[in-house]
Amino acid sequence: VNSLRKLYILLDNKILFLIIIAICLASLLKPWLLINGILIGSLYSLGAIGLSLIYGNLKFANMAHGDFMTLSAYIALTLMMFLFPNSENSASVGPFTFKYELLLVIPLAVIIIGLMATVFDKLIFKKLRTLNATSAAIALCSLGLAVGLRGLIQFIWGTDSRSFPRESKLFWDLPFRIKIPPDMFFCAVVAVIIATVFYLVLFKTTLGKAIRATSDNPDLARITGINTDRIILYIWFIGGILAATAGILISVQQALITPVMGWKILIPLFASVIVGGIGNPIGALIGGILIGITGELATGWINPSYKPAVYFFVLLVVLLLRPNGILGSKGRQF
């Protein structure tokens, strides 16, 4: 109810309402870009939710989030080549380009990244919290971790781009000249399902209540009997799983894995989190869709290389009109 009320207030703003009208008109002129934007935006949303989860509870921007996404794709590829060395010759999944074996290694890869995230919290971030380090200092340490992970990726897998074993498939032809790559549709559906599961866990389970209580007031949560140290590990584990899933889906969607893939994706992810409202998972979902749509629509009139500028423009406009983001607030966020 509160989210709907905030959305109503947002739409009541005449300037932003005109911007939404402009987006709708652009979508009518080039509807295929709107569809692509929604599908890509759903992947951004999944990554942004994990980023927002960490910030909402631990109050720092995790700069290593994108490199966790990259590492997950490389780990999934390595597991696939090790466990299924003949996957190149196997059949693909229905109308999609990827092989059945990929579906088997994805759960292993995301669990590995989730566990790695908890280990890094134990080794680095928990010690910084114990020393009462500032949020800026912790964020800079996460930046160092990001650089270290990227260097490790390049050391193990090299700097050349890689891809999962796949078969070439035709696009799905829809009305109004809309063509959708089958893999993009699959990845978007999976992202929406996982985001829904995360929402149910966060708002409908005891664990979710404990996470939100820890976010609101860690000291009070500790007094009431919540093991906040364990909850923080759960937060890192869930955030790692969300980052890993988003990274693998994005690498499948774009049919390419590069060492800097996650680092480049951080720009739309941070834009999604800030536009939606820092620390608000529903806001991250809305922000990711908005960033995806505007970025794709802009390519109909400008060079795609200017997408980051479009993201920052959307970010600037939203913050000028809603300083706390679309669904952001100065109070509770989770």
Side-chain angles (χ1 to χ4, degrees), residues 274-322:
I274 297 172
V275 165
I278 295 178
N280 190 312
I282 307 303
L285 176 64
I286 295 174
I289 297 295
L290 179 61
I291 289 295
I293 290 175
T294 52
E296 286 302 303
L297 286 176
T299 61
W301 289 272
I302 64 174
N303 192 300
S305 61
Y306 294 121
K307 271 188 181 182
V310 176
Y311 301 148
F312 282 115
F313 175 76
V314 175
L315 177 63
L316 176 63
V317 170
V318 171
L319 290 184
L320 286 175
L321 300 174
R322 297 277 298 178

Side-chain angles (χ1 to χ4, degrees), residues 3-4 70 238:
S3 297
L4 292 176
T70 304
I238 294 172

Side-chain angles (χ1 to χ4, degrees), residues 62 64-73 113 116-117 120 145 149 236 240 243-244 247:
N62 182 19
H65 194 77
D67 291 282
F68 279 133
M69 296 170 66
T70 304
L71 183 59
S72 67
I113 295 298
M116 285 183 62
F120 283 125
L145 176 60
L149 288 175
W236 276 104

Side-chain angles (χ1 to χ4, degrees), residues 23-24 38-39 54 59 81 88 132 153 155 166 186 200 206 224 240 243 248 282 285 309 320 329:
I23 292 176
C24 292
I38 293 174
L39 297 178
I54 299 296
K59 304 301 184 288
M81 294 294 98
E88 285 277 4
N132 294 320
I153 290 170
F155 177 76
R166 59 195 301 270
F186 171 84
L200 294 175
T206 303
T224 58
I248 294 173
I282 307 303
L285 176 64
L320 286 175
S329 65

Side-chain angles (χ1 to χ4, degrees), residues 18 31 35 77 143 165 178 195 198 203 227 244 248 262 269 274 288 331:
L18 292 176
I35 301 300
L77 176 62
L143 177 60
I178 298 175
F198 170 76
F203 292 99
N227 189 335
I248 294 173
L269 291 191
I274 297 172

Side-chain angles (χ1 to χ4, degrees), residues 222-240:
R222 194 177 298 109
I223 292 173
T224 58
I226 296 176
N227 189 335
T228 55
D229 290 335
R230 181 180 297 176
I231 293 300
I232 288 174
L233 289 180
Y234 284 139
I235 289 169
W236 276 104
F237 184 72
I238 294 172

Side-chain angles (χ1 to χ4, degrees), residues 56-312:
N57 286 274
L58 303 178
K59 304 301 184 288
F60 80 94
N62 182 19
M63 305 297 289
H65 194 77
D67 291 282
F68 279 133
M69 296 170 66
T70 304
L71 183 59
S72 67
Y74 277 102
I75 289 177
L77 176 62
T78 302
L79 288 173
M80 191 172 177
M81 294 294 98
F82 177 75
L83 298 175
F84 308 101
N86 296 321
S87 57
E88 285 277 4
N89 302 320
S90 63
S92 61
V93 180
F96 309 113
T97 67
F98 54 85
K99 307 302 180 74
Y100 284 96
E101 291 82 357
L102 179 61
L103 300 179
L104 299 177
V105 301
I106 286 178
L108 295 176
V110 300
I111 290 174
I112 289 173
I113 295 298
L115 293 175
M116 285 183 62
T118 61
V119 169
F120 283 125
D121 178 66
K122 282 277 191 180
L123 295 178
I124 302 174
F125 300 111
K126 183 178 180 179
K127 296 182 182 300
L128 293 173
R129 292 194 301 271
T130 303
L131 295 172
N132 294 320
T134 63
S135 297
I138 299 176
L140 286 175
C141 285
S142 72
L143 177 60
L145 176 60
V147 174
L149 288 175
R150 206 172 314 131
L152 179 65
I153 290 170
Q154 293 175 337
F155 177 76
I156 296 176
W157 289 282
T159 58
D160 295 333
S161 61
R162 295 170 179 261
S163 62
F164 292 107
R166 59 195 301 270
E167 292 182 11
S168 298
K169 297 290 182 72
L170 297 176
F171 289 80
W172 288 348
D173 288 318
L174 301 179
F176 305 106
R177 295 188 298 167
I178 298 175
K179 293 186 176 182
I180 300 178
D183 289 0
M184 183 182 290
F185 179 79
F186 171 84
C187 293
V189 170
V190 173
V192 170
I193 292 173
I194 293 176
T196 303
V197 171
F198 170 76
Y199 174 85
L200 294 175
V201 169
L202 189 61
F203 292 99
K204 303 296 182 181
T205 66
T206 303
L207 174 61
K209 291 178 182 178
I211 290 175
R212 287 183 282 126
T214 302
S215 173
D216 285 346
N217 192 324
D219 295 330
L220 182 59
R222 194 177 298 109
I223 292 173
T224 58
I226 296 176
N227 189 335
T228 55
D229 290 335
R230 181 180 297 176
I231 293 300
I232 288 174
L233 289 180
Y234 284 139
I235 289 169
W236 276 104
F237 184 72
I238 294 172
I241 285 179
L242 292 173
T245 307
I248 294 173
L249 292 178
I250 289 174
S251 63
V252 170
Q253 178 261 318
Q254 65 186 16
L256 198 67
I257 310 172
T258 63
V260 296
M261 176 186 73
W263 180 251
K264 291 182 178 179
I265 293 173
L266 268 186
I267 295 177
L269 291 191
F270 274 115
S272 301
V273 170
I274 297 172
V275 165
I278 295 178
N280 190 312
I282 307 303
L285 176 64
I286 295 174
I289 297 295
L290 179 61
I291 289 295
I293 290 175
T294 52
E296 286 302 303
L297 286 176
T299 61
W301 289 272
I302 64 174
N303 192 300
S305 61
Y306 294 121
K307 271 188 181 182
V310 176
Y311 301 148
F312 282 115

